[in-house]
Amino acid sequence: IRLFGHPALYKQGQQIDLNLPHKALALLYYLAMARQAVGRDTLAMLLWATVPLPAARHSLRNMLSQLRAVAGDLLEINLQTVALAAAPRQQVDAVVFQQRLAAMQQSASPDLAVWQATLDLYRGDFLAGFYVHQSQPFEDWTTQCRESLRQQFLTNLLALSDAYAASGAIGLALACLDRLLAIEPENEAAYSQQIQLLLRLGRRTEALQC
């Protein structure tokens, strides 16, 4: 399940189209990030906040029936909760991203190749271009996740650039900064670091142009 950039589902490396309405896909994406069972009422009000709870529950029941028919193996559904079914090879890019970064924070000397591969999972903003009509709680959740994940990405790009520079890999350090500044052009820390690295390489003219 890819949630960075425009979301998509893949099976054995091939993109699949479940032909589901956006609210059904939104439910899948929310459960993918939750990593645990979520109460039916929570899901009902997440996606149908503008209607009374009984009507929202009814809409959720209908959607879950539709999901069972199309993607029953993806979900674990009971009378109280819904969860994404656990599968040994199942991956959610945004979840892997967070887990790896959390693990690296506990390491005194993180593996730079793993760090780079983790940041490469970030293909674009979380759920870019995905919108659910009249579902403000879902949109609020999406915005919160998007901003948090983007900040984690940018912070780690800067830190990885530092680590590359310390190891003497100046070209890789500059590549991280280029990527960061393409997303956040006014990041002063990135500009400062870029100037210092260019000066270390003797590229004074480029440094002065930053």
Side-chain angles (χ1 to χ4, degrees):
I1 301 177
R2 293 187 181 178
L3 303 181
F4 284 131
H6 190 74
L9 302 174
Y10 290 80
K11 186 174 183 178
Q12 297 178 345
Q14 299 297 316
Q15 187 171 350
I16 57 175
D17 183 3
L18 297 180
N19 194 27
L20 290 168
H22 269 208
K23 283 193 176 182
L25 292 171
L27 186 146
L28 287 177
Y29 302 152
Y30 184 84
L31 294 174
M33 290 297 290
R35 290 177 280 167
Q36 62 183 3
V38 179
R40 281 176 175 249
D41 284 358
T42 298
L43 295 173
M45 295 313 297
L46 179 77
L47 297 171
W48 292 276
T50 59
V51 302
L53 183 56
R57 288 170 175 161
H58 178 73
S59 295
L60 179 64
R61 281 196 301 272
N62 289 340
M63 178 173 289
L64 291 176
S65 295
Q66 184 180 7
L67 280 167
R68 277 194 185 99
V70 175
D73 58 335
L74 282 176
L75 298 174
E76 293 177 354
I77 302 170
N78 61 40
L79 292 176
Q80 287 78 39
T81 64
V82 184
L84 198 69
R89 297 182 63 188
Q90 178 179 282
Q91 285 195 343
V92 181
D93 59 354
V95 172
V96 173
F97 176 85
Q98 290 179 307
Q99 290 174 335
R100 287 183 182 172
L101 290 184
M104 280 186 285
Q105 286 178 353
Q106 306 301 317
S107 173
S109 55
D111 185 311
L112 300 190
V114 173
W115 201 352
Q116 180 70 68
T118 300
L119 296 185
D120 287 343
L121 291 172
Y122 193 98
R123 301 174 183 86
D125 280 340
F126 180 75
L127 296 185
F130 183 80
Y131 174 76
V132 179
H133 184 58
Q134 293 185 337
S135 296
Q136 192 59 46
F138 179 81
E139 292 303 315
D140 290 343
W141 170 80
T142 299
T143 298
Q144 182 179 11
C145 288
R146 182 177 295 144
E147 292 176 353
S148 174
L149 289 164
R150 182 194 293 136
Q151 192 55 52
Q152 289 179 60
F153 174 66
L154 295 175
T155 298
N156 276 272
L157 270 179
L158 189 61
L160 179 57
S161 176
D162 270 333
Y164 275 140
S167 71
I170 307 302
L172 293 175
L174 286 169
C176 288
L177 296 175
D178 286 343
R179 193 173 178 190
L180 192 162
L181 290 167
I183 297 172
E184 195 173 65
E186 297 180 358
N187 190 304
E188 292 297 331
Y191 271 120
S192 176
Q193 190 164 309
Q194 186 182 52
I195 291 169
Q196 292 174 23
L197 293 177
L198 288 170
L199 289 174
R200 280 177 62 179
L201 292 175
R203 292 156 61 178
R204 183 176 177 82
T205 301
E206 290 178 60
L208 292 173
Q209 291 173 347
C210 288

